Amino acid sequence: MTDPKKIMFECRIVPVITIEALEQAAPLGQALQAAGYTALEVTFRTPHAAAAISAMKQACPELHIGAGTITGTEQFDAACAAGSDFLVSPGTSDALFNLFDTVDIPVFPGVASASEAISAFERGYQVQKFFPASAIGGSAALKALAAPLANISFMPTGGIHGANMQEYLSLSNVVAVGGSWMIDKAAVAQADWAQVTAFAQQQKS
Ligand code: 3PG
């Protein structure tokens, strides 16, 4: 299995993408790759998610294309069938953990508390999504978890943007941050891929 940390360490910022129109998937992947991103999370929040993952993987074979918003069997099966390189969930349940146990790709289960993080760690997940980060204490909460949960690393998402991402990335227990702030949605709607790349590149620094 790919080391979950390796996926995140190449570029520590993971765009979280919601695909509104399938034809946007491949050029959006290419535009974000041109901006220097190496892993993308495609959310299962529109009917296009699975097809978008397949299209992006075909257009950008070097990218790690993950599936997000995995909350049940339907999304899980579709994400796996589409060839997702990793899975992300906003939270967990026994049923979800049982599904995750059946795959050999990295899974980042969502947690929002020390108890949830310990439960996920007990199930074998050392790198977890911390969600919704800004609403549950942000970087201060993650900093406070670092000493008691020394073996657990996090990818926070939710409310992260260019101005606060360094607060998170500077923490010892944060492997990467995720979010949608680097995507210029107006440029995506207009298929202005040069602008999508330029904006996404600017939002990394
Ligand atoms: C997620 O699913 O991780 C979030 O919706 C991304 O959060 P953001 O849109 O606030 O960046």
PDB file of all heavy atoms in Angstrom, residues 16 41 43 45 69 129 131 157-160 178-181, ligand 1:
ATOM      1  N   VAL A  16      -9.482  20.305  -2.429  1.00  0.00           N
ATOM      2  CA  VAL A  16     -10.725  19.539  -2.250  1.00  0.00           C
ATOM      3  C   VAL A  16     -11.695  20.058  -3.309  1.00  0.00           C
ATOM      4  O   VAL A  16     -12.096  21.221  -3.290  1.00  0.00           O
ATOM      5  CB  VAL A  16     -11.294  19.721  -0.828  1.00  0.00           C
ATOM      6  CG1 VAL A  16     -12.623  18.986  -0.694  1.00  0.00           C
ATOM      7  CG2 VAL A  16     -10.293  19.206   0.212  1.00  0.00           C
ATOM      8  N   GLU A  41      -8.390  15.759  -3.884  1.00  0.00           N
ATOM      9  CA  GLU A  41      -9.524  15.015  -3.324  1.00  0.00           C
ATOM     10  C   GLU A  41     -10.784  15.450  -4.066  1.00  0.00           C
ATOM     11  O   GLU A  41     -11.132  16.628  -4.078  1.00  0.00           O
ATOM     12  CB  GLU A  41      -9.659  15.326  -1.827  1.00  0.00           C
ATOM     13  CG  GLU A  41     -10.885  14.672  -1.195  1.00  0.00           C
ATOM     14  CD  GLU A  41     -11.118  15.135   0.251  1.00  0.00           C
ATOM     15  OE1 GLU A  41     -10.135  15.465   0.954  1.00  0.00           O
ATOM     16  OE2 GLU A  41     -12.291  15.180   0.654  1.00  0.00           O
ATOM     17  N   THR A  43     -14.691  15.289  -4.152  1.00  0.00           N
ATOM     18  CA  THR A  43     -15.756  14.954  -3.196  1.00  0.00           C
ATOM     19  C   THR A  43     -16.930  14.269  -3.878  1.00  0.00           C
ATOM     20  O   THR A  43     -17.274  14.587  -5.020  1.00  0.00           O
ATOM     21  CB  THR A  43     -16.282  16.219  -2.485  1.00  0.00           C
ATOM     22  OG1 THR A  43     -16.886  17.084  -3.466  1.00  0.00           O
ATOM     23  CG2 THR A  43     -15.180  16.947  -1.758  1.00  0.00           C
ATOM     24  N   ARG A  45     -20.001  14.800  -3.738  1.00  0.00           N
ATOM     25  CA  ARG A  45     -21.108  15.703  -3.420  1.00  0.00           C
ATOM     26  C   ARG A  45     -21.902  16.056  -4.666  1.00  0.00           C
ATOM     27  O   ARG A  45     -22.851  16.834  -4.600  1.00  0.00           O
ATOM     28  CB  ARG A  45     -20.581  16.973  -2.764  1.00  0.00           C
ATOM     29  CG  ARG A  45     -19.953  16.677  -1.419  1.00  0.00           C
ATOM     30  CD  ARG A  45     -19.386  17.900  -0.748  1.00  0.00           C
ATOM     31  NE  ARG A  45     -18.392  17.473   0.222  1.00  0.00           N
ATOM     32  CZ  ARG A  45     -17.601  18.292   0.884  1.00  0.00           C
ATOM     33  NH1 ARG A  45     -17.697  19.590   0.713  1.00  0.00           N
ATOM     34  NH2 ARG A  45     -16.718  17.819   1.737  1.00  0.00           N
ATOM     35  N   THR A  69     -15.622  12.661   0.939  1.00  0.00           N
ATOM     36  CA  THR A  69     -17.030  12.582   1.350  1.00  0.00           C
ATOM     37  C   THR A  69     -17.540  11.139   1.261  1.00  0.00           C
ATOM     38  O   THR A  69     -18.671  10.889   0.847  1.00  0.00           O
ATOM     39  CB  THR A  69     -17.924  13.544   0.526  1.00  0.00           C
ATOM     40  OG1 THR A  69     -17.195  14.742   0.211  1.00  0.00           O
ATOM     41  CG2 THR A  69     -19.156  13.950   1.334  1.00  0.00           C
ATOM     42  N   LYS A 129      -8.072  12.685   8.870  1.00  0.00           N
ATOM     43  CA  LYS A 129      -8.581  14.005   8.484  1.00  0.00           C
ATOM     44  C   LYS A 129      -9.171  14.662   9.736  1.00  0.00           C
ATOM     45  O   LYS A 129      -9.915  14.020  10.479  1.00  0.00           O
ATOM     46  CB  LYS A 129      -9.665  13.820   7.417  1.00  0.00           C
ATOM     47  CG  LYS A 129     -10.507  15.059   7.127  1.00  0.00           C
ATOM     48  CD  LYS A 129     -11.362  14.832   5.892  1.00  0.00           C
ATOM     49  CE  LYS A 129     -12.462  15.877   5.757  1.00  0.00           C
ATOM     50  NZ  LYS A 129     -12.593  16.358   4.367  1.00  0.00           N
ATOM     51  N   PHE A 131     -11.675  17.368  10.828  1.00  0.00           N
ATOM     52  CA  PHE A 131     -12.748  18.063  10.112  1.00  0.00           C
ATOM     53  C   PHE A 131     -13.947  18.327  11.022  1.00  0.00           C
ATOM     54  O   PHE A 131     -14.324  17.437  11.792  1.00  0.00           O
ATOM     55  CB  PHE A 131     -13.185  17.187   8.927  1.00  0.00           C
ATOM     56  CG  PHE A 131     -14.323  17.763   8.140  1.00  0.00           C
ATOM     57  CD1 PHE A 131     -14.121  18.778   7.215  1.00  0.00           C
ATOM     58  CD2 PHE A 131     -15.613  17.287   8.338  1.00  0.00           C
ATOM     59  CE1 PHE A 131     -15.184  19.307   6.499  1.00  0.00           C
ATOM     60  CE2 PHE A 131     -16.677  17.817   7.623  1.00  0.00           C
ATOM     61  CZ  PHE A 131     -16.457  18.830   6.700  1.00  0.00           C
ATOM     62  N   THR A 157      -9.025  19.926   7.312  1.00  0.00           N
ATOM     63  CA  THR A 157      -9.746  20.597   6.227  1.00  0.00           C
ATOM     64  C   THR A 157     -10.976  21.260   6.821  1.00  0.00           C
ATOM     65  O   THR A 157     -11.469  20.857   7.878  1.00  0.00           O
ATOM     66  CB  THR A 157     -10.200  19.649   5.097  1.00  0.00           C
ATOM     67  OG1 THR A 157     -11.339  18.931   5.526  1.00  0.00           O
ATOM     68  CG2 THR A 157      -9.119  18.678   4.668  1.00  0.00           C
ATOM     69  N   GLY A 158     -11.465  22.254   6.107  1.00  0.00           N
ATOM     70  CA  GLY A 158     -12.652  22.981   6.561  1.00  0.00           C
ATOM     71  C   GLY A 158     -12.263  24.340   7.090  1.00  0.00           C
ATOM     72  O   GLY A 158     -11.746  24.463   8.207  1.00  0.00           O
ATOM     73  N   GLY A 159     -12.445  25.368   6.256  1.00  0.00           N
ATOM     74  CA  GLY A 159     -12.143  26.730   6.697  1.00  0.00           C
ATOM     75  C   GLY A 159     -10.677  27.107   6.611  1.00  0.00           C
ATOM     76  O   GLY A 159     -10.258  28.114   7.186  1.00  0.00           O
ATOM     77  N   ILE A 160      -9.892  26.322   5.901  1.00  0.00           N
ATOM     78  CA  ILE A 160      -8.470  26.670   5.750  1.00  0.00           C
ATOM     79  C   ILE A 160      -8.308  27.466   4.455  1.00  0.00           C
ATOM     80  O   ILE A 160      -9.006  27.225   3.464  1.00  0.00           O
ATOM     81  CB  ILE A 160      -7.609  25.396   5.762  1.00  0.00           C
ATOM     82  CG1 ILE A 160      -7.785  24.704   7.112  1.00  0.00           C
ATOM     83  CG2 ILE A 160      -6.129  25.732   5.510  1.00  0.00           C
ATOM     84  CD1 ILE A 160      -7.056  23.409   7.267  1.00  0.00           C
ATOM     85  N   GLY A 178      -5.999  20.535   3.638  1.00  0.00           N
ATOM     86  CA  GLY A 178      -6.856  20.419   2.463  1.00  0.00           C
ATOM     87  C   GLY A 178      -7.877  21.528   2.448  1.00  0.00           C
ATOM     88  O   GLY A 178      -8.154  22.158   3.477  1.00  0.00           O
ATOM     89  N   GLY A 179      -8.422  21.791   1.265  1.00  0.00           N
ATOM     90  CA  GLY A 179      -9.464  22.804   1.176  1.00  0.00           C
ATOM     91  C   GLY A 179      -9.728  23.195  -0.254  1.00  0.00           C
ATOM     92  O   GLY A 179      -9.089  22.691  -1.189  1.00  0.00           O
ATOM     93  N   SER A 180     -10.671  24.110  -0.394  1.00  0.00           N
ATOM     94  CA  SER A 180     -11.116  24.503  -1.735  1.00  0.00           C
ATOM     95  C   SER A 180     -10.702  25.924  -2.085  1.00  0.00           C
ATOM     96  O   SER A 180     -11.043  26.414  -3.151  1.00  0.00           O
ATOM     97  CB  SER A 180     -12.643  24.375  -1.808  1.00  0.00           C
ATOM     98  OG  SER A 180     -13.241  25.174  -0.803  1.00  0.00           O
ATOM     99  N   TRP A 181      -9.970  26.591  -1.161  1.00  0.00           N
ATOM    100  CA  TRP A 181      -9.691  28.013  -1.366  1.00  0.00           C
ATOM    101  C   TRP A 181      -8.848  28.312  -2.598  1.00  0.00           C
ATOM    102  O   TRP A 181      -8.885  29.417  -3.128  1.00  0.00           O
ATOM    103  CB  TRP A 181      -9.023  28.598  -0.115  1.00  0.00           C
ATOM    104  CG  TRP A 181      -7.559  28.328  -0.021  1.00  0.00           C
ATOM    105  CD1 TRP A 181      -6.562  29.108  -0.524  1.00  0.00           C
ATOM    106  CD2 TRP A 181      -6.909  27.199   0.574  1.00  0.00           C
ATOM    107  NE1 TRP A 181      -5.332  28.536  -0.268  1.00  0.00           N
ATOM    108  CE2 TRP A 181      -5.524  27.365   0.402  1.00  0.00           C
ATOM    109  CE3 TRP A 181      -7.370  26.058   1.247  1.00  0.00           C
ATOM    110  CZ2 TRP A 181      -4.597  26.433   0.872  1.00  0.00           C
ATOM    111  CZ3 TRP A 181      -6.448  25.129   1.714  1.00  0.00           C
ATOM    112  CH2 TRP A 181      -5.093  25.319   1.524  1.00  0.00           C
TER     113      TRP A 181
HETATM  114  C1  3PG B   1     -13.872  19.284   3.058  1.00  0.00           C
HETATM  115  O1  3PG B   1     -14.695  18.447   2.749  1.00  0.00           O
HETATM  116  O2  3PG B   1     -12.744  18.960   3.410  1.00  0.00           O
HETATM  117  C2  3PG B   1     -14.256  20.709   3.090  1.00  0.00           C
HETATM  118  O3  3PG B   1     -15.492  20.924   2.515  1.00  0.00           O
HETATM  119  C3  3PG B   1     -13.245  21.610   2.482  1.00  0.00           C
HETATM  120  O4  3PG B   1     -13.381  22.734   3.225  1.00  0.00           O
HETATM  121  P1  3PG B   1     -13.374  24.206   2.630  1.00  0.00           P
HETATM  122  O5  3PG B   1     -14.331  24.216   1.458  1.00  0.00           O
HETATM  123  O6  3PG B   1     -13.801  25.064   3.780  1.00  0.00           O
HETATM  124  O7  3PG B   1     -11.977  24.492   2.197  1.00  0.00           O
END
